């Protein structure tokens, strides 16, 4: 599942054309739709992918939430929203509220600064071609 979300993320932020970026965004939304269904089926109405307690899938998915939030701030595009992915949005909020997640999640400001720096580098490289 990570590949279906991460590879298009790189395409959105490092794509050379508007078309490449748009295709990456489309693939990201498709991946989040699949994740929404997977969460509904795996959780069976409980708070986490594995049920009542955080499991390996939650940790794997949750570890990407810092980058997801930085990307949303950078692009203005929300991948998890109440209309299309309400279960994932609620899950992300629950996961990020965990003490262990708070203690180990990279600071969003630092991730955002790094993402902006990389985006500027990519934009400069694409403009010079």
């Amino acid at each position: 599942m990570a590949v279906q979300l991460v590879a298009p993320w790189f395409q959105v932020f490092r794509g050379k054309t508007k078309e490449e970026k748009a295709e990456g965004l489309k693939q990201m939304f498709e991946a989040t739709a699949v994740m929404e269904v997977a969460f509904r089926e795996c959780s069976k109405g409980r708070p986490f992918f594995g049920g009542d307690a955080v499991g390996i899938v939650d940790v794997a998915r949750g570890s990407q939430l810092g980058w997801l939030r930085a990307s949303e701030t950078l692009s203005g595009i929300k991948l998890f929203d109440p209309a299309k992915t309400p279960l994932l949005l609620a899950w992300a909020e629950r996961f990020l509220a965990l003490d262990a997640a708070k203690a180990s999640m990279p600071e969003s400001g630092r991730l955002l600064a790094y993402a902006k720096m990389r985006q500027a580098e990519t934009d400069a490289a694409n403009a010079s071609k």
Side-chain angles (χ1 to χ4, degrees), residues 58-74:
D58 298 291
V59 173
R61 295 274 52 130
S63 68
Q64 296 175 341
L65 289 173
W67 282 110
L68 178 69
R69 297 282 162 96
S71 298
E72 288 177 343
T73 301
L74 190 61

mmCIF file with all atom_site columns, all heavy atoms in Angstrom, residues 58-74:
data_model
loop_
_atom_site.group_PDB
_atom_site.id
_atom_site.type_symbol
_atom_site.label_atom_id
_atom_site.label_alt_id
_atom_site.label_comp_id
_atom_site.label_asym_id
_atom_site.label_entity_id
_atom_site.label_seq_id
_atom_site.pdbx_PDB_ins_code
_atom_site.Cartn_x
_atom_site.Cartn_y
_atom_site.Cartn_z
_atom_site.occupancy
_atom_site.B_iso_or_equiv
_atom_site.pdbx_formal_charge
_atom_site.auth_seq_id
_atom_site.auth_comp_id
_atom_site.auth_asym_id
_atom_site.auth_atom_id
_atom_site.pdbx_PDB_model_num
ATOM 1   N N   . ASP A 1 58 ? -1.047 0.088  11.596 1.00 0.00 ? 58 ASP A N   1
ATOM 2   C CA  . ASP A 1 58 ? -1.238 1.462  12.079 1.00 0.00 ? 58 ASP A CA  1
ATOM 3   C C   . ASP A 1 58 ? 0.101  2.193  12.169 1.00 0.00 ? 58 ASP A C   1
ATOM 4   O O   . ASP A 1 58 ? 0.201  3.359  11.762 1.00 0.00 ? 58 ASP A O   1
ATOM 5   C CB  . ASP A 1 58 ? -1.906 1.453  13.457 1.00 0.00 ? 58 ASP A CB  1
ATOM 6   C CG  . ASP A 1 58 ? -3.274 0.830  13.420 1.00 0.00 ? 58 ASP A CG  1
ATOM 7   O OD1 . ASP A 1 58 ? -4.193 1.427  12.832 1.00 0.00 ? 58 ASP A OD1 1
ATOM 8   O OD2 . ASP A 1 58 ? -3.428 -0.279 13.967 1.00 0.00 ? 58 ASP A OD2 1
ATOM 9   N N   . VAL A 1 59 ? 1.099  1.512  12.679 1.00 0.00 ? 59 VAL A N   1
ATOM 10  C CA  . VAL A 1 59 ? 2.422  2.127  12.814 1.00 0.00 ? 59 VAL A CA  1
ATOM 11  C C   . VAL A 1 59 ? 3.006  2.430  11.431 1.00 0.00 ? 59 VAL A C   1
ATOM 12  O O   . VAL A 1 59 ? 3.536  3.518  11.194 1.00 0.00 ? 59 VAL A O   1
ATOM 13  C CB  . VAL A 1 59 ? 3.369  1.230  13.644 1.00 0.00 ? 59 VAL A CB  1
ATOM 14  C CG1 . VAL A 1 59 ? 4.792  1.777  13.636 1.00 0.00 ? 59 VAL A CG1 1
ATOM 15  C CG2 . VAL A 1 59 ? 2.847  1.102  15.068 1.00 0.00 ? 59 VAL A CG2 1
ATOM 16  N N   . ALA A 1 60 ? 2.890  1.483  10.516 1.00 0.00 ? 60 ALA A N   1
ATOM 17  C CA  . ALA A 1 60 ? 3.417  1.695  9.162  1.00 0.00 ? 60 ALA A CA  1
ATOM 18  C C   . ALA A 1 60 ? 2.708  2.855  8.472  1.00 0.00 ? 60 ALA A C   1
ATOM 19  O O   . ALA A 1 60 ? 3.353  3.725  7.879  1.00 0.00 ? 60 ALA A O   1
ATOM 20  C CB  . ALA A 1 60 ? 3.277  0.418  8.338  1.00 0.00 ? 60 ALA A CB  1
ATOM 21  N N   . ARG A 1 61 ? 1.407  2.878  8.527  1.00 0.00 ? 61 ARG A N   1
ATOM 22  C CA  . ARG A 1 61 ? 0.646  3.960  7.903  1.00 0.00 ? 61 ARG A CA  1
ATOM 23  C C   . ARG A 1 61 ? 0.846  5.268  8.670  1.00 0.00 ? 61 ARG A C   1
ATOM 24  O O   . ARG A 1 61 ? 1.012  6.326  8.086  1.00 0.00 ? 61 ARG A O   1
ATOM 25  C CB  . ARG A 1 61 ? -0.851 3.641  7.882  1.00 0.00 ? 61 ARG A CB  1
ATOM 26  C CG  . ARG A 1 61 ? -1.235 2.472  7.032  1.00 0.00 ? 61 ARG A CG  1
ATOM 27  C CD  . ARG A 1 61 ? -1.458 2.817  5.574  1.00 0.00 ? 61 ARG A CD  1
ATOM 28  N NE  . ARG A 1 61 ? -0.343 3.536  5.023  1.00 0.00 ? 61 ARG A NE  1
ATOM 29  C CZ  . ARG A 1 61 ? 0.285  3.243  3.890  1.00 0.00 ? 61 ARG A CZ  1
ATOM 30  N NH1 . ARG A 1 61 ? -0.119 2.275  3.158  1.00 0.00 ? 61 ARG A NH1 1
ATOM 31  N NH2 . ARG A 1 61 ? 1.297  3.930  3.461  1.00 0.00 ? 61 ARG A NH2 1
ATOM 32  N N   . GLY A 1 62 ? 0.806  5.176  9.990  1.00 0.00 ? 62 GLY A N   1
ATOM 33  C CA  . GLY A 1 62 ? 0.920  6.371  10.818 1.00 0.00 ? 62 GLY A CA  1
ATOM 34  C C   . GLY A 1 62 ? 2.256  7.065  10.699 1.00 0.00 ? 62 GLY A C   1
ATOM 35  O O   . GLY A 1 62 ? 2.345  8.285  10.838 1.00 0.00 ? 62 GLY A O   1
ATOM 36  N N   . SER A 1 63 ? 3.300  6.303  10.403 1.00 0.00 ? 63 SER A N   1
ATOM 37  C CA  . SER A 1 63 ? 4.626  6.908  10.264 1.00 0.00 ? 63 SER A CA  1
ATOM 38  C C   . SER A 1 63 ? 4.689  7.868  9.082  1.00 0.00 ? 63 SER A C   1
ATOM 39  O O   . SER A 1 63 ? 5.583  8.708  9.014  1.00 0.00 ? 63 SER A O   1
ATOM 40  C CB  . SER A 1 63 ? 5.695  5.831  10.124 1.00 0.00 ? 63 SER A CB  1
ATOM 41  O OG  . SER A 1 63 ? 5.553  5.144  8.890  1.00 0.00 ? 63 SER A OG  1
ATOM 42  N N   . GLN A 1 64 ? 3.756  7.756  8.170  1.00 0.00 ? 64 GLN A N   1
ATOM 43  C CA  . GLN A 1 64 ? 3.728  8.642  6.998  1.00 0.00 ? 64 GLN A CA  1
ATOM 44  C C   . GLN A 1 64 ? 2.870  9.889  7.214  1.00 0.00 ? 64 GLN A C   1
ATOM 45  O O   . GLN A 1 64 ? 2.849  10.789 6.377  1.00 0.00 ? 64 GLN A O   1
ATOM 46  C CB  . GLN A 1 64 ? 3.199  7.877  5.785  1.00 0.00 ? 64 GLN A CB  1
ATOM 47  C CG  . GLN A 1 64 ? 4.094  6.739  5.391  1.00 0.00 ? 64 GLN A CG  1
ATOM 48  C CD  . GLN A 1 64 ? 3.508  5.914  4.265  1.00 0.00 ? 64 GLN A CD  1
ATOM 49  O OE1 . GLN A 1 64 ? 2.324  5.950  3.988  1.00 0.00 ? 64 GLN A OE1 1
ATOM 50  N NE2 . GLN A 1 64 ? 4.360  5.155  3.613  1.00 0.00 ? 64 GLN A NE2 1
ATOM 51  N N   . LEU A 1 65 ? 2.178  9.965  8.330  1.00 0.00 ? 65 LEU A N   1
ATOM 52  C CA  . LEU A 1 65 ? 1.247  11.073 8.552  1.00 0.00 ? 65 LEU A CA  1
ATOM 53  C C   . LEU A 1 65 ? 1.939  12.430 8.662  1.00 0.00 ? 65 LEU A C   1
ATOM 54  O O   . LEU A 1 65 ? 1.388  13.434 8.227  1.00 0.00 ? 65 LEU A O   1
ATOM 55  C CB  . LEU A 1 65 ? 0.375  10.814 9.779  1.00 0.00 ? 65 LEU A CB  1
ATOM 56  C CG  . LEU A 1 65 ? -0.659 9.715  9.604  1.00 0.00 ? 65 LEU A CG  1
ATOM 57  C CD1 . LEU A 1 65 ? -1.347 9.420  10.935 1.00 0.00 ? 65 LEU A CD1 1
ATOM 58  C CD2 . LEU A 1 65 ? -1.684 10.091 8.539  1.00 0.00 ? 65 LEU A CD2 1
ATOM 59  N N   . GLY A 1 66 ? 3.138  12.459 9.218  1.00 0.00 ? 66 GLY A N   1
ATOM 60  C CA  . GLY A 1 66 ? 3.857  13.732 9.291  1.00 0.00 ? 66 GLY A CA  1
ATOM 61  C C   . GLY A 1 66 ? 4.127  14.296 7.908  1.00 0.00 ? 66 GLY A C   1
ATOM 62  O O   . GLY A 1 66 ? 3.904  15.484 7.649  1.00 0.00 ? 66 GLY A O   1
ATOM 63  N N   . TRP A 1 67 ? 4.592  13.423 7.017  1.00 0.00 ? 67 TRP A N   1
ATOM 64  C CA  . TRP A 1 67 ? 4.844  13.857 5.637  1.00 0.00 ? 67 TRP A CA  1
ATOM 65  C C   . TRP A 1 67 ? 3.547  14.212 4.924  1.00 0.00 ? 67 TRP A C   1
ATOM 66  O O   . TRP A 1 67 ? 3.503  15.155 4.131  1.00 0.00 ? 67 TRP A O   1
ATOM 67  C CB  . TRP A 1 67 ? 5.599  12.775 4.865  1.00 0.00 ? 67 TRP A CB  1
ATOM 68  C CG  . TRP A 1 67 ? 7.046  12.768 5.211  1.00 0.00 ? 67 TRP A CG  1
ATOM 69  C CD1 . TRP A 1 67 ? 7.708  11.825 5.923  1.00 0.00 ? 67 TRP A CD1 1
ATOM 70  C CD2 . TRP A 1 67 ? 8.001  13.773 4.884  1.00 0.00 ? 67 TRP A CD2 1
ATOM 71  N NE1 . TRP A 1 67 ? 9.027  12.181 6.055  1.00 0.00 ? 67 TRP A NE1 1
ATOM 72  C CE2 . TRP A 1 67 ? 9.237  13.376 5.429  1.00 0.00 ? 67 TRP A CE2 1
ATOM 73  C CE3 . TRP A 1 67 ? 7.928  14.979 4.194  1.00 0.00 ? 67 TRP A CE3 1
ATOM 74  C CZ2 . TRP A 1 67 ? 10.397 14.139 5.303  1.00 0.00 ? 67 TRP A CZ2 1
ATOM 75  C CZ3 . TRP A 1 67 ? 9.085  15.738 4.059  1.00 0.00 ? 67 TRP A CZ3 1
ATOM 76  C CH2 . TRP A 1 67 ? 10.301 15.314 4.602  1.00 0.00 ? 67 TRP A CH2 1
ATOM 77  N N   . LEU A 1 68 ? 2.509  13.453 5.202  1.00 0.00 ? 68 LEU A N   1
ATOM 78  C CA  . LEU A 1 68 ? 1.217  13.747 4.592  1.00 0.00 ? 68 LEU A CA  1
ATOM 79  C C   . LEU A 1 68 ? 0.752  15.140 4.989  1.00 0.00 ? 68 LEU A C   1
ATOM 80  O O   . LEU A 1 68 ? 0.328  15.932 4.142  1.00 0.00 ? 68 LEU A O   1
ATOM 81  C CB  . LEU A 1 68 ? 0.182  12.699 5.001  1.00 0.00 ? 68 LEU A CB  1
ATOM 82  C CG  . LEU A 1 68 ? -1.220 12.917 4.465  1.00 0.00 ? 68 LEU A CG  1
ATOM 83  C CD1 . LEU A 1 68 ? -1.251 12.702 2.957  1.00 0.00 ? 68 LEU A CD1 1
ATOM 84  C CD2 . LEU A 1 68 ? -2.186 11.980 5.154  1.00 0.00 ? 68 LEU A CD2 1
ATOM 85  N N   . ARG A 1 69 ? 0.842  15.455 6.261  1.00 0.00 ? 69 ARG A N   1
ATOM 86  C CA  . ARG A 1 69 ? 0.420  16.785 6.744  1.00 0.00 ? 69 ARG A CA  1
ATOM 87  C C   . ARG A 1 69 ? 1.288  17.888 6.150  1.00 0.00 ? 69 ARG A C   1
ATOM 88  O O   . ARG A 1 69 ? 0.786  18.939 5.753  1.00 0.00 ? 69 ARG A O   1
ATOM 89  C CB  . ARG A 1 69 ? 0.451  16.827 8.268  1.00 0.00 ? 69 ARG A CB  1
ATOM 90  C CG  . ARG A 1 69 ? -0.519 15.866 8.922  1.00 0.00 ? 69 ARG A CG  1
ATOM 91  C CD  . ARG A 1 69 ? -1.930 16.426 8.878  1.00 0.00 ? 69 ARG A CD  1
ATOM 92  N NE  . ARG A 1 69 ? -2.955 15.452 9.099  1.00 0.00 ? 69 ARG A NE  1
ATOM 93  C CZ  . ARG A 1 69 ? -3.539 15.194 10.259 1.00 0.00 ? 69 ARG A CZ  1
ATOM 94  N NH1 . ARG A 1 69 ? -3.174 15.833 11.337 1.00 0.00 ? 69 ARG A NH1 1
ATOM 95  N NH2 . ARG A 1 69 ? -4.500 14.291 10.336 1.00 0.00 ? 69 ARG A NH2 1
ATOM 96  N N   . ALA A 1 70 ? 2.597  17.674 6.074  1.00 0.00 ? 70 ALA A N   1
ATOM 97  C CA  . ALA A 1 70 ? 3.482  18.668 5.466  1.00 0.00 ? 70 ALA A CA  1
ATOM 98  C C   . ALA A 1 70 ? 3.122  18.866 3.989  1.00 0.00 ? 70 ALA A C   1
ATOM 99  O O   . ALA A 1 70 ? 3.067  19.994 3.493  1.00 0.00 ? 70 ALA A O   1
ATOM 100 C CB  . ALA A 1 70 ? 4.938  18.250 5.612  1.00 0.00 ? 70 ALA A CB  1
ATOM 101 N N   . SER A 1 71 ? 2.838  17.772 3.301  1.00 0.00 ? 71 SER A N   1
ATOM 102 C CA  . SER A 1 71 ? 2.455  17.846 1.883  1.00 0.00 ? 71 SER A CA  1
ATOM 103 C C   . SER A 1 71 ? 1.145  18.598 1.708  1.00 0.00 ? 71 SER A C   1
ATOM 104 O O   . SER A 1 71 ? 0.999  19.383 0.767  1.00 0.00 ? 71 SER A O   1
ATOM 105 C CB  . SER A 1 71 ? 2.310  16.436 1.303  1.00 0.00 ? 71 SER A CB  1
ATOM 106 O OG  . SER A 1 71 ? 3.513  15.754 1.370  1.00 0.00 ? 71 SER A OG  1
ATOM 107 N N   . GLU A 1 72 ? 0.210  18.349 2.595  1.00 0.00 ? 72 GLU A N   1
ATOM 108 C CA  . GLU A 1 72 ? -1.076 19.044 2.516  1.00 0.00 ? 72 GLU A CA  1
ATOM 109 C C   . GLU A 1 72 ? -0.886 20.546 2.708  1.00 0.00 ? 72 GLU A C   1
ATOM 110 O O   . GLU A 1 72 ? -1.484 21.352 1.987  1.00 0.00 ? 72 GLU A O   1
ATOM 111 C CB  . GLU A 1 72 ? -2.045 18.493 3.561  1.00 0.00 ? 72 GLU A CB  1
ATOM 112 C CG  . GLU A 1 72 ? -2.551 17.120 3.245  1.00 0.00 ? 72 GLU A CG  1
ATOM 113 C CD  . GLU A 1 72 ? -3.463 16.541 4.315  1.00 0.00 ? 72 GLU A CD  1
ATOM 114 O OE1 . GLU A 1 72 ? -3.482 17.046 5.456  1.00 0.00 ? 72 GLU A OE1 1
ATOM 115 O OE2 . GLU A 1 72 ? -4.169 15.574 3.995  1.00 0.00 ? 72 GLU A OE2 1
ATOM 116 N N   . THR A 1 73 ? -0.042 20.909 3.644  1.00 0.00 ? 73 THR A N   1
ATOM 117 C CA  . THR A 1 73 ? 0.233  22.328 3.872  1.00 0.00 ? 73 THR A CA  1
ATOM 118 C C   . THR A 1 73 ? 0.918  22.938 2.662  1.00 0.00 ? 73 THR A C   1
ATOM 119 O O   . THR A 1 73 ? 0.565  24.037 2.224  1.00 0.00 ? 73 THR A O   1
ATOM 120 C CB  . THR A 1 73 ? 1.109  22.509 5.127  1.00 0.00 ? 73 THR A CB  1
ATOM 121 O OG1 . THR A 1 73 ? 0.418  21.954 6.252  1.00 0.00 ? 73 THR A OG1 1
ATOM 122 C CG2 . THR A 1 73 ? 1.407  23.969 5.392  1.00 0.00 ? 73 THR A CG2 1
ATOM 123 N N   . LEU A 1 74 ? 1.860  22.225 2.106  1.00 0.00 ? 74 LEU A N   1
ATOM 124 C CA  . LEU A 1 74 ? 2.613  22.717 0.959  1.00 0.00 ? 74 LEU A CA  1
ATOM 125 C C   . LEU A 1 74 ? 1.743  22.867 -0.280 1.00 0.00 ? 74 LEU A C   1
ATOM 126 O O   . LEU A 1 74 ? 1.823  23.857 -0.993 1.00 0.00 ? 74 LEU A O   1
ATOM 127 C CB  . LEU A 1 74 ? 3.773  21.761 0.667  1.00 0.00 ? 74 LEU A CB  1
ATOM 128 C CG  . LEU A 1 74 ? 4.822  22.197 -0.328 1.00 0.00 ? 74 LEU A CG  1
ATOM 129 C CD1 . LEU A 1 74 ? 5.528  23.456 0.142  1.00 0.00 ? 74 LEU A CD1 1
ATOM 130 C CD2 . LEU A 1 74 ? 5.836  21.081 -0.537 1.00 0.00 ? 74 LEU A CD2 1
#
